[in-house]
């Protein structure tokens, strides 16, 4: 008898047919003798409907009040699911975040879970009940309703799995698992049976939007075995675990990408200690997510410093940086929008050089210019013109032998 | 500086225009220097929408889960209203039942408020904030979300007013106050400026659906001054207070009515002690609300016993009574549907006889047959054929001089 936490996202409970189908799946798990905790998102479209209501009342609604408003979405899902399970003879009990002791910090709209009081859940499980928990929400120490930000239901599921030491946290989505790359770009993309936590983290953060990145980090910290699987189609999905072995047999696990990037280059900075800190502190204060950072010597004791930001933050980043240029003797500020990032990810990428060589060769052969290169232990990322994104993903996917067969 | 609890019902917040109008009204109260607590219902139609969702999932949804589901309606209202007030520079804070310590018993769907912990509200008021509280909901001692039943937002408002010892509990509705009778039946019906608690209780329970009866009882127990007024039109409304004086100057205050009644008569019961108890206990067990009860001698040591029930419960009442008839020697069970109840109400009805005489004369003059008569200290009720309801109400209203001028 295992203990599973099952999370179903918005499209999985997006219609009455879907609710019935998911209820069938939960009932099956229960009949197989497993203890089960369910976490639900709002029905697809509901959160947007609620945000639309808010926008009709206020151009700048308060974040605390938005949390109060949108947290109703999950409340509706759990009540309806409990009813659907009762119909199947399953003793289900819907529970809100505060009722299962999900305590968060006070950051409305992007709260972080601080603590989970497992008592109520344990009581339900001991009584043979299936707790149906509202994802995405919690209560701050001050007693305020908070939400965890978009995709936060994944984090709820992982947090409950950690608190209950569940055997598996199963994230049911509209895809069959984690793929070697985005199947919408490369139809030959292959579903992986296993992936390491580190690889998943890189894939999630690089734009393979199967799981919310925070939930993967949370799972990693608490070593919660995560499984991504489809709520529409039977299958084993992809298990994310922690042993670090090379499951795939390939050096490279997957090709990730991120659209709508932009870069700023400060040309001819005087090369002196403290320059980077002086530039990046105000960017951090402005909540701009700087991603790739590259510095290269420009001769004469000067350096060129380039970094990427989400395209939507480009104008803000420029306005932060421009007033500082004179302080550091920068000669020019060069801006590139219309770029994207493509990354080759692999936990067993022991020979960076070889993978890098192959990656650059493939891109060169296709005539794709590389603007920036950044590496970490398990990935190599390049910034290229966004118009080449699909071509680059497909070429790399094929070259590293990731496709089916 | 007064402390007001203001409650706005579903039609008062039924659209975005209405929310803006109500926000204007609240902002005005606050600017006048009054401390204000607001209680809201769900937007008109929302509760029914949610019940419809439940009916699509289950033919017999669990009441606990229905509470979980429908309590989202008020949550949406309070968040939107807080946003609308922020836009007007009012420091509003939306709060759920559990956040303001509304503790109820565990009867889902018809819970009763057991206790209100005034601390959070008092903190808000001391900080110059306007608490916007979700009506209709609470939390049981076991930590379950409960609802107070239809119209329960009135009760929430009264309970908060009692806990805070508010100067007035103002119930904003779609009517301008309490009328001498239903203006849809008698256009000459007059809005009353004052009414006693006892009169209001009779009017509410007899079908003048301005206030939920339980909220009036609650107000009476805690001596909370209640004011009913319109959220659509400026005005003083009707103040319900506790001094028992004859405000109106009339012996009779109003004409109430209740449609869709039915009666059952047990003819020729053997007149012995305990008969009534033996008949009415099983009716009570079946949750049938017996209203008027009349017993009259039928000669030969026998009596005829008649009582009224809501028409929808007639078949059930018959099935409860029929098997018992033989035990008490009843000769016949006579059923009358298509009747209604019309009542003359007045706290200063010191001379029952005179009012009764006038009432029977008026009805007789119009050719209306009286099936049953029942009296209490402040009212006389008759059961008549429902087809005469409007005629009876108008004739009595006019005869007792209740109209404008």
């Amino acid at each position: 008898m295992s203990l599973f936490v099952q999370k179903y996202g918005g499209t999985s409970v997006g219609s009455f047919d879907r609710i019935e189908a998911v209820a069938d799946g939960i009932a099956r798990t229960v009949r197989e003798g497993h203890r089960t905790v369910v976490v639900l998102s709002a029905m697809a479209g509901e959160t947007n409907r609620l945000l639309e209501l808010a926008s009709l009342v206020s151009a700048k609604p308060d974040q605390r009040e938005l949390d109060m408003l949108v947290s109703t979405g999950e409340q509706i899902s759990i009540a309806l699911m409990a009813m659907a399970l009762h119909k199947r003879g399953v003793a289900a009990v819907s529970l809100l975040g505060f009722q299962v002791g999900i305590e968060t910090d006070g950051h409305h709209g992007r709260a972080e879970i601080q603590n989970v009081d497992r008592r109520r859940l344990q009581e339900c499980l001991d009584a043979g009940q299936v707790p149906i928990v509202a994802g995405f929400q919690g209560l701050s120490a001050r007693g305020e309703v908070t939400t965890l930000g978009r995709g936060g239901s994944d984090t709820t599921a992982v947090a409950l799995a950690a608190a209950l030491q569940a055997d598996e946290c199963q994230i049911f989505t509209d895809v069959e698992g984690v793929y070697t790359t985005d199947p919408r770009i490369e139809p030959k993309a292959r579903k992986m049976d296993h992936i390491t936590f580190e690889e998943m983290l890189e894939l999630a953060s690089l734009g393979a939007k199967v799981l919310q990145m925070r939930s993967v980090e949370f799972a990693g910290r608490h070593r919660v075995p995560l499984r991504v699987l489809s709520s529409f189609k039977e299958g084993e999905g992809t298990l994310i675990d922690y042993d670090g072995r090379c499951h795939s047999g390939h050096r490279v696990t997957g090709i990730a990408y991120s659209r709508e990037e932009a870069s700023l280059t400060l040309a001819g900075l005087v090369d002196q200690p403290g320059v980077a800190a002086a530039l990046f502190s105000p960017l951090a204060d402005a909540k701009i997510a700087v991603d790739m950072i590259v510095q290269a010597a420009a001769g004469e004791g000067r350096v060129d410093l380039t970094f990427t930001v989400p395209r939507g933050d480009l104008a803000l980043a420029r306005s932060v940086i421009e007033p500082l240029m004179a302080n550091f003797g920068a000669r020019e500020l060069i801006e590139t929008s219309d770029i994207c990032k493509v990354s080759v990810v692999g936990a067993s990428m022991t020979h960076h050089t070889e993978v890098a060589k192959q990656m650059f060769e493939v891109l060169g052969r296709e005539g794709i210019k590389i603007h920036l290169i950044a590496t970490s232990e398990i990935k190599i990322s390049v910034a290229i013109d966004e118009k080449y994104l699909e071509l680059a993903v497909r070429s790399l996917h094929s070259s590293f032998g990731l496709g089916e067969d």
Side-chain angles (χ1 to χ4, degrees), chain A:
Chain A
M1 191 173 80
S2 299
L3 171 57
F4 295 138
V5 175
Q6 298 190 331
K7 180 261 174 178
Y8 295 88
T11 52
S12 300
V13 295
S15 69
F16 289 98
D17 283 352
R18 293 300 312 147
I19 289 175
E20 300 290 347
V22 167
D24 282 337
I26 296 168
R28 200 179 317 126
T29 309
V30 171
R31 272 197 305 271
E32 284 165 2
H34 302 298
R35 290 184 303 157
T36 312
V37 174
V38 175
V39 175
L40 298 183
S41 299
M43 292 171 75
E46 180 66 7
T47 304
N48 285 335
R49 186 185 78 89
L50 293 165
L51 291 173
E52 172 76 13
L53 291 183
S55 73
L56 291 172
V57 171
S58 172
K60 262 183 68 180
D62 182 62
Q63 190 60 56
R64 178 190 182 279
E65 299 304 333
L66 280 176
D67 280 1
M68 184 63 92
L69 183 69
V70 299
S71 59
T72 60
E74 284 71 24
Q75 189 167 344
I76 291 172
S77 302
I78 59 172
L80 294 178
M81 185 60 75
M83 293 173 193
L85 285 166
H86 293 164
K87 219 167 49 178
R88 288 163 174 79
V90 175
V93 183
S94 70
L95 293 164
L96 296 170
F98 82 89
Q99 292 179 306
V100 293
I102 296 177
E103 189 188 316
T104 72
D105 62 24
H107 290 106
H108 286 289
R110 52 186 177 88
E112 303 220 11
I113 294 177
Q114 303 289 311
N115 196 31
V116 175
D117 180 352
R118 56 182 278 173
R119 279 175 297 182
R120 178 80 192 255
L121 285 175
Q122 198 62 60
E123 268 174 42
C124 287
L125 291 170
D126 292 346
Q129 295 172 328
V130 178
I132 312 291
V133 180
F136 179 64
Q137 62 178 238
L139 200 72
S140 74
R142 287 203 54 232
E144 302 286 6
V145 175
T146 54
T147 68
L148 311 178
R150 288 257 159 168
S153 293
D154 288 353
T155 308
T156 303
V158 170
L160 297 187
L164 293 166
Q165 299 181 283
D167 295 292
E168 235 173 65
C169 180
Q170 303 175 332
I171 310 287
F172 287 83
T173 68
D174 48 4
V175 297
E176 287 173 59
V178 181
Y179 281 75
T180 48
T181 194
D182 186 342
R184 286 170 304 183
I185 289 182
E186 172 51 274
K188 291 187 194 136
R190 190 173 42 78
K191 196 267 291 176
M192 292 179 275
D193 295 333
H194 287 269
I195 186 173
T196 67
F197 164 70
E198 292 79 7
E199 287 167 338
M200 186 64 226
L201 200 58
E202 288 294 353
L203 288 170
S205 68
L206 292 173
K209 287 169 184 152
V210 182
L211 284 172
Q212 196 216 14
M213 190 172 136
R214 268 208 281 171
S215 71
V216 178
E217 289 170 351
F218 202 110
R221 278 203 300 280
H222 297 87
R223 297 188 77 77
V224 174
L226 263 183
R227 188 185 290 276
V228 176
L229 58 184
S230 168
S231 66
F232 295 84
K233 205 168 158 185
E234 294 244 359
E236 292 299 303
T238 302
L239 180 67
I240 300 144
D241 56 18
Y242 301 92
D243 58 8
R245 273 184 298 111
C246 172
H247 296 299
S248 60
H250 297 285
R251 287 167 313 180
V252 170
T253 310
I255 313 295
Y257 66 86
S258 169
R259 293 186 191 273
E260 305 209 348
E261 303 276 340
S263 72
L264 278 171
T265 300
L266 283 146
L269 280 179
V270 175
D271 186 13
Q272 63 191 26
V275 174
L279 287 169
F280 290 113
S281 299
L283 287 169
D285 293 345
K287 307 273 181 213
I288 296 169
V290 172
D291 183 13
M292 303 166 82
I293 302 175
V294 173
Q295 184 175 305
E300 303 170 24
R302 291 179 181 261
V303 294
D304 295 342
L305 181 69
T306 303
F307 58 88
T308 64
V309 295
R311 198 174 299 156
D313 287 341
L314 179 59
L316 178 59
R318 196 196 315 120
S319 72
V320 169
I321 291 297
E322 260 171 350
L324 303 172
M325 286 177 61
N327 303 354
F328 305 106
R331 291 173 183 148
E332 201 182 351
L333 185 62
I334 304 160
E335 196 175 291
T336 317
S337 59
D338 299 330
I339 59 170
C340 68
K341 182 170 65 167
V342 174
S343 306
V344 170
V345 176
S348 55
M349 206 189 271
T350 42
H351 301 293
H352 250 108
T353 328
E354 223 171 285
V355 174
K357 172 173 160 263
Q358 187 173 341
M359 184 179 190
F360 304 152
E361 271 175 9
V362 168
L363 296 175
R365 201 184 310 137
E366 301 292 352
I368 300 169
K369 193 178 137 194
I370 297 169
H371 296 292
L372 282 173
I373 302 171
T375 60
S376 81
E377 292 201 355
I378 65 160
K379 68 150 193 206
I380 306 174
S381 300
V382 295
I384 60 174
D385 288 347
E386 185 158 352
K387 64 183 173 185
Y388 293 123
L389 189 148
E390 290 81 1
L391 175 61
V393 168
R394 279 194 296 264
S395 308
L396 292 168
H397 194 265
S398 161
S399 169
F400 285 105
L402 297 175
E404 301 274 15
D405 305 326

